[in-house]
């Protein structure tokens, strides 16, 4: 439930992308097709959405990560 609150902070298209993949079981490419994106756009957009979600979770102390930037 706490995680879902952070999904709401994503833009609608990012939220839809992640929901199609995680809840509907679509591939990134198929989710992109449903959002009218090319395969390359979908891959980049998915990466951006995951990064945004991770950053939100880190900012609010839900997770901590050690990563290279």
């Amino acid at each position: 439930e706490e995680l879902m609150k952070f999904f709401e902070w994503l833009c609608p298209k990012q939220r839809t992308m992640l929901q199609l993949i995680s809840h509907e079981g679509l591939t990134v490419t198929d989710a992109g097709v449903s959002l009218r994106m090319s395969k390359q756009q979908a891959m980049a957009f998915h990466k951006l959405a995951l990064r945004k979600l991770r950053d939100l979770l880190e900012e609010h102390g839900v997770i901590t990560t050690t990563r290279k930037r």
Side-chain angles (χ1 to χ4, degrees):
E1 188 172 302
E2 183 179 10
L3 182 61
M4 293 310 293
K5 134 178 113 172
F6 293 100
F7 267 86
E8 296 301 316
W9 293 355
L10 298 173
C11 77
K13 211 170 191 178
Q14 289 174 327
R15 192 168 47 245
T16 299
M17 168 69 81
L18 295 180
Q19 288 173 334
L20 288 171
I21 294 166
S22 64
H23 297 3
E24 303 296 325
L26 270 61
T27 65
V28 173
T29 302
D30 289 339
V33 167
S34 73
L35 294 170
R36 298 179 178 234
M37 296 180 183
S38 70
K39 180 180 179 179
Q40 293 79 14
Q41 288 172 319
M43 297 298 241
F45 193 77
H46 178 247
K47 185 176 179 178
L48 180 69
L50 288 176
R51 184 177 297 141
K52 174 68 173 174
L53 183 59
R54 183 196 62 215
D55 289 348
L56 286 168
L57 293 170
E58 284 181 349
E59 286 172 23
H60 291 86
V62 177
I63 63 169
T64 56
T65 61
T66 55
R67 61 176 183 219
K68 295 179 183 178
R69 287 200 173 216

